């Protein structure tokens, strides 16, 4: 299933926690124009929807439960009223994907939403890439252990040991990492390759 474009906002759900009625009415009007369903939320209240994005007023910070559940669930846009270091620290604890400065104007809301969705998607892609690299790094340790075992058991140099492992993997249609794990577990090369 294709992910929706960060620029396409129609049909998305937004959780909104805004204190000021004027700011809230601006967001409501802009969301209606953009086709975003809006759910008003009071900090400490139950989350009654699976939001695609959350707008959190910095006047509600620090948030009590279930705010920690928001992190990682959807992008958060922080609404900043003051720029004191202590307030900014509270906002950073939310790990916002974007922000808006109060008093709000209709201009900038669309850009903040697109930036939040795009940043979240890019961060997710980066996390997946890091996870793959960590898996490869872990498997390299197994390959190194297998190479050392083959070097010792076959009395060959490192390039020859790796070539034996690669040939065994090709013969058995396995990855080098899978073959190395078997060698590390069995302590020897499979018979056909040895």
């Amino acid at each position: 299933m294709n992910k929706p474009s960060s620029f396409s906002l129609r049909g998305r759900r937004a959780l909104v926690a805004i204190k000021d009625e004027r700011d809230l009415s601006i967001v409501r009007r802009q969301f209606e124009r953009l086709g975003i369903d809006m759910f008003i939320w009071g900090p400490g209240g139950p989350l009654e929807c699976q939001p695609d994005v959350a707008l959190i007023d910095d006047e509600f910070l620090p948030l009590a439960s279930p705010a920690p559940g928001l992190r990682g669930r959807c992008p958060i846009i922080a609404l900043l009223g003051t720029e004191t270091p202590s307030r900014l620290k509270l906002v950073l604890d939310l790990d916002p994907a974007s922000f808006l400065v109060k008093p709000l104007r209709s201009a900038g809301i669309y850009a903040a939403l697109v930036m939040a969705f795009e940043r979240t998607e890019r961060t997710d892609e980066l996390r997946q890439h890091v996870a793959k690299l960590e898996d490869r790094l872990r498997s390299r340790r197994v390959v190194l252990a297998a190479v050392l075992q083959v070097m010792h058991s076959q009395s060959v140099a490192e390039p020859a040991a790796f070539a034996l492992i690669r040939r065994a993997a090709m013969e058995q249609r396995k990855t080098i990492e899978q073959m190395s794990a078997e060698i590390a577990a069995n302590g020897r090369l499979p018979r056909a390759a040895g």
Side-chain angles (χ1 to χ4, degrees):
M1 190 170 114
N2 290 337
K3 290 183 177 181
S5 165
S6 299
F7 297 94
S8 173
L9 304 178
R10 187 159 300 281
R12 302 239 194 183
R13 294 175 305 270
L15 190 72
V16 176
I18 298 177
K19 268 193 173 178
D20 184 80
E21 281 299 321
R22 181 193 160 278
D23 289 340
L24 184 59
S25 68
I26 289 170
V27 168
R28 180 177 286 122
R29 236 184 1 257
Q30 193 66 3
F31 278 13
E32 284 173 5
R33 288 183 190 138
L34 296 170
I36 298 172
D37 297 325
M38 187 168 106
F39 299 88
I40 305 294
W41 178 63
L47 289 177
E48 296 175 353
C49 71
Q50 293 265 337
D52 297 311
V53 65
L55 275 72
I56 307 293
D57 194 327
D58 69 345
E59 291 184 39
F60 287 123
L61 300 178
L63 292 175
S65 178
L70 281 176
R71 262 183 251 140
R73 182 188 256 187
C74 67
I76 295 174
I77 299 173
L79 308 181
L80 298 174
T82 59
E83 297 179 1
T84 61
S86 61
R87 183 59 57 96
L88 291 175
K89 169 78 173 85
L90 292 173
V91 169
L92 287 172
D93 287 345
L94 281 177
D95 191 22
S98 188
F99 70 94
L100 289 164
V101 177
K102 298 186 294 185
L104 293 180
R105 298 178 306 134
S106 59
I109 292 176
Y110 176 73
L113 289 163
V114 170
M115 299 277 284
F117 286 122
E118 191 64 26
R119 179 182 175 241
T120 300
E121 188 172 323
R122 290 181 185 194
T123 301
D124 289 346
E125 288 172 2
L126 191 60
R127 283 190 183 122
Q128 290 172 5
H129 185 68
V130 168
K132 283 182 187 175
L133 290 176
E134 288 175 345
D135 283 347
R136 290 189 70 187
L137 183 61
R138 275 192 292 275
S139 69
R140 289 296 164 196
R141 292 183 190 132
V142 173
V143 172
L144 179 61
V147 166
L148 291 173
Q149 281 187 338
V150 171
M151 286 173 63
H152 181 71
S153 67
Q154 303 290 318
S155 300
V156 293
E158 180 189 345
F162 187 76
L164 288 171
I165 293 170
R166 185 175 54 219
R167 189 173 73 198
M170 289 174 62
E171 287 172 0
Q172 296 192 13
R173 298 178 186 256
K174 296 179 179 175
T175 65
I176 289 176
E177 289 81 8
Q178 290 171 330
M179 181 54 63
S180 295
E182 288 180 20
I183 292 168
N186 298 331
R188 60 182 163 75
L189 277 168
R191 286 189 184 265

